[in-house]
Amino acid sequence: MTIEYPGDPNTPRSHLPFSPATRVGNLIFVSGQASVDKTGKIIPDSFEGELRRSMENLRKVLESAGSDLAHVVQTRNYVRDDTDLPEFNRLYLDYFKQPYPARTTLSRCLGGLRYEIDCIAIAKDERS
């Protein structure tokens, strides 16, 4: 099988050594998406602002790889402050609907970021 590295000019890029996404067959693995602009510059904001920017970046990366939020099968979420967990759970529902993807959430992590998400998805054209 071939490993693909999808992306387009609207896909956020990082100066760090990783690809925004890799695709193998119908599986898409998305690297951590945070509150950054398309050049990878961190955009500090409130917890809600950072989460929404991270989710929009995730959406862009998924679209460039032939998928979308409805085809996400697993998410890993990183929340810096425990006090943001109730807000995280509330905002998460704006992006993922039942039946929800499998999910792991870690807190008390991250440095200058308040939120980050990575995921595994399937390609839209391959969903049965």
Short mmCIF file of all heavy atoms in Angstrom, two decimals, residues 76-114:
data_model
loop_
_atom_site.label_atom_id
_atom_site.label_comp_id
_atom_site.label_asym_id
_atom_site.label_seq_id
_atom_site.Cartn_x
_atom_site.Cartn_y
_atom_site.Cartn_z
N ARG A 76 -8.39 12.20 19.75
CA ARG A 76 -7.60 12.37 20.97
C ARG A 76 -7.56 13.86 21.21
O ARG A 76 -7.20 14.64 20.31
CB ARG A 76 -6.21 11.78 20.80
CG ARG A 76 -6.21 10.26 20.92
CD ARG A 76 -4.82 9.67 20.86
NE ARG A 76 -4.21 9.89 19.56
CZ ARG A 76 -4.27 9.03 18.54
NH1 ARG A 76 -4.93 7.91 18.67
NH2 ARG A 76 -3.68 9.29 17.41
N ASN A 77 -7.94 14.25 22.40
CA ASN A 77 -8.09 15.66 22.76
C ASN A 77 -7.17 15.99 23.91
O ASN A 77 -7.05 15.21 24.87
CB ASN A 77 -9.54 15.93 23.17
CG ASN A 77 -10.49 15.59 22.06
OD1 ASN A 77 -10.81 16.42 21.23
ND2 ASN A 77 -10.94 14.33 22.01
N TYR A 78 -6.54 17.15 23.82
CA TYR A 78 -5.59 17.60 24.83
C TYR A 78 -6.09 18.94 25.36
O TYR A 78 -6.21 19.90 24.60
CB TYR A 78 -4.20 17.74 24.21
CG TYR A 78 -3.79 16.46 23.50
CD1 TYR A 78 -4.11 16.26 22.16
CD2 TYR A 78 -3.12 15.45 24.18
CE1 TYR A 78 -3.76 15.08 21.51
CE2 TYR A 78 -2.76 14.27 23.53
CZ TYR A 78 -3.09 14.09 22.20
OH TYR A 78 -2.74 12.92 21.57
N VAL A 79 -6.42 18.97 26.65
CA VAL A 79 -6.98 20.16 27.29
C VAL A 79 -6.00 20.57 28.39
O VAL A 79 -5.72 19.78 29.30
CB VAL A 79 -8.37 19.86 27.89
CG1 VAL A 79 -8.93 21.06 28.61
CG2 VAL A 79 -9.33 19.39 26.79
N ARG A 80 -5.47 21.78 28.28
CA ARG A 80 -4.45 22.21 29.23
C ARG A 80 -4.96 22.25 30.67
O ARG A 80 -4.33 21.74 31.57
CB ARG A 80 -3.89 23.58 28.83
CG ARG A 80 -2.76 24.04 29.74
CD ARG A 80 -2.19 25.36 29.31
NE ARG A 80 -3.17 26.42 29.60
CZ ARG A 80 -3.04 27.67 29.18
NH1 ARG A 80 -2.00 28.01 28.43
NH2 ARG A 80 -3.94 28.57 29.47
N ASP A 81 -6.12 22.85 30.87
CA ASP A 81 -6.62 23.10 32.23
C ASP A 81 -7.86 22.27 32.53
O ASP A 81 -8.84 22.29 31.77
CB ASP A 81 -6.95 24.59 32.41
CG ASP A 81 -5.75 25.48 32.15
OD1 ASP A 81 -4.64 25.13 32.60
OD2 ASP A 81 -5.92 26.52 31.49
N ASP A 82 -7.85 21.57 33.65
CA ASP A 82 -9.02 20.78 34.09
C ASP A 82 -10.29 21.62 34.13
O ASP A 82 -11.38 21.12 33.86
CB ASP A 82 -8.80 20.22 35.49
CG ASP A 82 -7.85 19.04 35.52
OD1 ASP A 82 -7.50 18.51 34.45
OD2 ASP A 82 -7.45 18.65 36.64
N THR A 83 -10.16 22.89 34.49
CA THR A 83 -11.34 23.74 34.62
C THR A 83 -12.05 23.95 33.29
O THR A 83 -13.21 24.35 33.28
CB THR A 83 -10.96 25.11 35.22
OG1 THR A 83 -9.95 25.70 34.40
CG2 THR A 83 -10.45 24.96 36.65
N ASP A 84 -11.39 23.66 32.16
CA ASP A 84 -12.00 23.81 30.83
C ASP A 84 -12.73 22.54 30.36
O ASP A 84 -13.36 22.55 29.31
CB ASP A 84 -10.94 24.20 29.80
CG ASP A 84 -10.43 25.61 29.99
OD1 ASP A 84 -11.23 26.49 30.37
OD2 ASP A 84 -9.22 25.83 29.77
N LEU A 85 -12.66 21.46 31.13
CA LEU A 85 -13.29 20.21 30.68
C LEU A 85 -14.80 20.31 30.48
O LEU A 85 -15.30 19.81 29.47
CB LEU A 85 -12.92 19.06 31.63
CG LEU A 85 -11.46 18.61 31.52
CD1 LEU A 85 -11.12 17.63 32.64
CD2 LEU A 85 -11.17 17.99 30.16
N PRO A 86 -15.56 20.95 31.38
CA PRO A 86 -17.01 21.07 31.10
C PRO A 86 -17.29 21.85 29.81
O PRO A 86 -18.16 21.46 29.03
CB PRO A 86 -17.55 21.81 32.34
CG PRO A 86 -16.57 21.49 33.42
CD PRO A 86 -15.23 21.44 32.72
N GLU A 87 -16.56 22.93 29.58
CA GLU A 87 -16.74 23.70 28.35
C GLU A 87 -16.33 22.87 27.14
O GLU A 87 -16.98 22.90 26.09
CB GLU A 87 -15.95 25.00 28.41
CG GLU A 87 -16.20 25.89 27.23
CD GLU A 87 -15.51 27.25 27.33
OE1 GLU A 87 -14.59 27.41 28.16
OE2 GLU A 87 -15.90 28.13 26.56
N PHE A 88 -15.25 22.09 27.27
CA PHE A 88 -14.81 21.21 26.20
C PHE A 88 -15.93 20.25 25.81
O PHE A 88 -16.26 20.10 24.64
CB PHE A 88 -13.55 20.44 26.61
CG PHE A 88 -13.31 19.21 25.79
CD1 PHE A 88 -12.97 19.30 24.45
CD2 PHE A 88 -13.46 17.95 26.34
CE1 PHE A 88 -12.77 18.17 23.68
CE2 PHE A 88 -13.27 16.82 25.58
CZ PHE A 88 -12.92 16.92 24.26
N ASN A 89 -16.53 19.59 26.79
CA ASN A 89 -17.60 18.63 26.50
C ASN A 89 -18.79 19.31 25.83
O ASN A 89 -19.39 18.74 24.91
CB ASN A 89 -18.03 17.91 27.78
CG ASN A 89 -17.02 16.86 28.18
OD1 ASN A 89 -16.63 16.03 27.37
ND2 ASN A 89 -16.60 16.89 29.43
N ARG A 90 -19.11 20.52 26.24
CA ARG A 90 -20.23 21.26 25.62
C ARG A 90 -19.90 21.62 24.17
O ARG A 90 -20.70 21.40 23.26
CB ARG A 90 -20.53 22.52 26.44
CG ARG A 90 -21.67 23.35 25.89
CD ARG A 90 -21.94 24.58 26.73
NE ARG A 90 -20.81 25.48 26.85
CZ ARG A 90 -20.43 26.35 25.90
NH1 ARG A 90 -21.07 26.42 24.77
NH2 ARG A 90 -19.40 27.16 26.11
N LEU A 91 -18.72 22.17 23.93
CA LEU A 91 -18.33 22.60 22.58
C LEU A 91 -18.11 21.42 21.63
O LEU A 91 -18.36 21.53 20.43
CB LEU A 91 -17.06 23.45 22.66
CG LEU A 91 -17.19 24.78 23.39
CD1 LEU A 91 -15.82 25.41 23.63
CD2 LEU A 91 -18.10 25.72 22.63
N TYR A 92 -17.66 20.30 22.15
CA TYR A 92 -17.42 19.11 21.34
C TYR A 92 -18.69 18.70 20.59
O TYR A 92 -18.63 18.25 19.45
CB TYR A 92 -16.95 17.98 22.27
CG TYR A 92 -16.42 16.75 21.60
CD1 TYR A 92 -15.09 16.66 21.21
CD2 TYR A 92 -17.23 15.63 21.40
CE1 TYR A 92 -14.59 15.51 20.61
CE2 TYR A 92 -16.75 14.48 20.82
CZ TYR A 92 -15.42 14.42 20.43
OH TYR A 92 -14.93 13.27 19.84
N LEU A 93 -19.83 18.91 21.23
CA LEU A 93 -21.12 18.54 20.62
C LEU A 93 -21.45 19.40 19.40
O LEU A 93 -22.29 19.01 18.59
CB LEU A 93 -22.24 18.66 21.65
CG LEU A 93 -22.12 17.75 22.86
CD1 LEU A 93 -23.24 18.03 23.85
CD2 LEU A 93 -22.10 16.28 22.46
N ASP A 94 -20.80 20.55 19.24
CA ASP A 94 -21.00 21.37 18.04
C ASP A 94 -20.34 20.74 16.81
O ASP A 94 -20.66 21.12 15.68
CB ASP A 94 -20.42 22.77 18.24
CG ASP A 94 -21.21 23.61 19.22
OD1 ASP A 94 -22.36 23.24 19.55
OD2 ASP A 94 -20.68 24.64 19.66
N TYR A 95 -19.43 19.81 17.02
CA TYR A 95 -18.65 19.25 15.92
C TYR A 95 -18.89 17.76 15.69
O TYR A 95 -18.72 17.29 14.56
CB TYR A 95 -17.16 19.50 16.16
CG TYR A 95 -16.86 20.98 16.20
CD1 TYR A 95 -16.86 21.68 17.41
CD2 TYR A 95 -16.65 21.69 15.03
CE1 TYR A 95 -16.63 23.05 17.44
CE2 TYR A 95 -16.43 23.05 15.05
CZ TYR A 95 -16.42 23.72 16.26
OH TYR A 95 -16.20 25.07 16.29
N PHE A 96 -19.24 17.03 16.72
CA PHE A 96 -19.44 15.59 16.60
C PHE A 96 -20.82 15.21 17.13
O PHE A 96 -21.22 15.65 18.20
CB PHE A 96 -18.35 14.82 17.35
CG PHE A 96 -16.98 15.09 16.80
CD1 PHE A 96 -16.12 15.95 17.45
CD2 PHE A 96 -16.57 14.50 15.61
CE1 PHE A 96 -14.86 16.22 16.93
CE2 PHE A 96 -15.32 14.76 15.08
CZ PHE A 96 -14.46 15.62 15.75
N LYS A 97 -21.53 14.41 16.36
CA LYS A 97 -22.90 13.98 16.68
C LYS A 97 -22.94 12.48 16.95
O LYS A 97 -22.05 11.74 16.53
CB LYS A 97 -23.85 14.32 15.52
CG LYS A 97 -23.79 15.77 15.07
CD LYS A 97 -24.21 16.73 16.15
CE LYS A 97 -24.16 18.16 15.66
NZ LYS A 97 -23.90 19.12 16.70
N GLN A 98 -24.02 12.04 17.56
CA GLN A 98 -24.19 10.60 17.81
C GLN A 98 -24.35 9.86 16.51
O GLN A 98 -24.97 10.40 15.59
CB GLN A 98 -25.42 10.37 18.69
CG GLN A 98 -25.24 10.83 20.09
CD GLN A 98 -26.43 10.44 20.96
OE1 GLN A 98 -27.48 10.02 20.49
NE2 GLN A 98 -26.27 10.60 22.25
N PRO A 99 -23.82 8.68 16.39
CA PRO A 99 -22.96 8.02 17.36
C PRO A 99 -21.58 8.66 17.34
O PRO A 99 -20.99 8.85 16.28
CB PRO A 99 -22.91 6.58 16.90
CG PRO A 99 -23.13 6.65 15.41
CD PRO A 99 -24.02 7.85 15.20
N TYR A 100 -21.07 9.02 18.50
CA TYR A 100 -19.82 9.76 18.60
C TYR A 100 -18.62 8.88 18.24
O TYR A 100 -18.65 7.66 18.42
CB TYR A 100 -19.62 10.27 20.03
CG TYR A 100 -20.75 11.14 20.50
CD1 TYR A 100 -21.60 10.71 21.52
CD2 TYR A 100 -21.00 12.38 19.92
CE1 TYR A 100 -22.65 11.50 21.95
CE2 TYR A 100 -22.06 13.17 20.35
CZ TYR A 100 -22.87 12.72 21.37
OH TYR A 100 -23.91 13.50 21.79
N PRO A 101 -17.55 9.52 17.76
CA PRO A 101 -16.32 8.76 17.56
C PRO A 101 -15.78 8.27 18.91
O PRO A 101 -16.09 8.84 19.96
CB PRO A 101 -15.34 9.78 16.97
CG PRO A 101 -16.12 11.01 16.68
CD PRO A 101 -17.41 10.94 17.42
N ALA A 102 -14.96 7.24 18.87
CA ALA A 102 -14.22 6.85 20.07
C ALA A 102 -13.39 8.07 20.48
O ALA A 102 -12.98 8.87 19.63
CB ALA A 102 -13.33 5.66 19.77
N ARG A 103 -13.12 8.23 21.78
CA ARG A 103 -12.47 9.46 22.22
C ARG A 103 -11.59 9.22 23.43
O ARG A 103 -11.94 8.47 24.34
CB ARG A 103 -13.55 10.48 22.57
CG ARG A 103 -13.00 11.82 23.02
CD ARG A 103 -14.14 12.77 23.32
NE ARG A 103 -14.23 12.96 24.76
CZ ARG A 103 -15.05 13.82 25.35
NH1 ARG A 103 -15.88 14.56 24.63
NH2 ARG A 103 -15.07 13.94 26.64
N THR A 104 -10.45 9.89 23.43
CA THR A 104 -9.58 9.97 24.59
C THR A 104 -9.36 11.45 24.87
O THR A 104 -9.18 12.22 23.93
CB THR A 104 -8.22 9.29 24.33
OG1 THR A 104 -8.45 7.91 24.03
CG2 THR A 104 -7.28 9.42 25.49
N THR A 105 -9.39 11.83 26.14
CA THR A 105 -9.16 13.22 26.51
C THR A 105 -8.12 13.26 27.62
O THR A 105 -8.28 12.59 28.65
CB THR A 105 -10.46 13.90 26.99
OG1 THR A 105 -11.44 13.78 25.96
CG2 THR A 105 -10.22 15.37 27.30
N LEU A 106 -7.06 14.01 27.39
CA LEU A 106 -6.02 14.20 28.39
C LEU A 106 -6.08 15.64 28.87
O LEU A 106 -6.28 16.55 28.06
CB LEU A 106 -4.64 13.93 27.78
CG LEU A 106 -4.44 12.54 27.20
CD1 LEU A 106 -3.18 12.50 26.37
CD2 LEU A 106 -4.39 11.53 28.31
N SER A 107 -5.88 15.85 30.15
CA SER A 107 -5.83 17.21 30.67
C SER A 107 -4.53 17.41 31.44
O SER A 107 -3.77 16.46 31.65
CB SER A 107 -7.05 17.52 31.54
OG SER A 107 -7.04 16.70 32.69
N ARG A 108 -4.32 18.64 31.86
CA ARG A 108 -3.08 19.03 32.53
C ARG A 108 -1.89 18.76 31.62
O ARG A 108 -0.88 18.20 32.04
CB ARG A 108 -2.92 18.31 33.86
CG ARG A 108 -3.97 18.66 34.86
CD ARG A 108 -3.69 18.02 36.17
NE ARG A 108 -4.76 18.31 37.11
CZ ARG A 108 -4.84 17.78 38.29
NH1 ARG A 108 -3.93 16.94 38.70
NH2 ARG A 108 -5.84 18.10 39.08
N CYS A 109 -2.06 19.16 30.39
CA CYS A 109 -1.01 18.97 29.41
C CYS A 109 -0.94 20.22 28.53
O CYS A 109 -1.72 21.14 28.71
CB CYS A 109 -1.28 17.73 28.56
SG CYS A 109 -2.87 17.71 27.75
N LEU A 110 -0.06 20.25 27.63
CA LEU A 110 0.18 21.36 26.71
C LEU A 110 0.92 22.49 27.41
O LEU A 110 0.79 22.70 28.60
CB LEU A 110 -1.11 21.90 26.07
CG LEU A 110 -1.95 20.90 25.27
CD1 LEU A 110 -3.25 21.56 24.83
CD2 LEU A 110 -1.18 20.38 24.08
N GLY A 111 1.65 23.24 26.63
CA GLY A 111 2.38 24.38 27.16
C GLY A 111 1.64 25.66 26.88
O GLY A 111 0.77 26.07 27.64
N GLY A 112 1.94 26.29 25.75
CA GLY A 112 1.33 27.56 25.41
C GLY A 112 -0.04 27.45 24.79
O GLY A 112 -0.70 28.45 24.54
N LEU A 113 -0.50 26.25 24.51
CA LEU A 113 -1.82 26.03 23.92
C LEU A 113 -2.82 25.66 24.99
O LEU A 113 -2.47 25.06 26.00
CB LEU A 113 -1.75 24.88 22.90
CG LEU A 113 -0.82 25.05 21.71
CD1 LEU A 113 -0.67 23.73 20.98
CD2 LEU A 113 -1.35 26.12 20.79
N ARG A 114 -4.08 25.97 24.73
CA ARG A 114 -5.15 25.55 25.64
C ARG A 114 -5.82 24.25 25.18
O ARG A 114 -6.42 23.54 25.98
CB ARG A 114 -6.23 26.63 25.73
CG ARG A 114 -5.76 27.91 26.36
CD ARG A 114 -6.88 28.95 26.30
NE ARG A 114 -6.45 30.22 26.82
CZ ARG A 114 -6.60 30.60 28.08
NH1 ARG A 114 -7.16 29.80 28.95
NH2 ARG A 114 -6.18 31.78 28.46
#
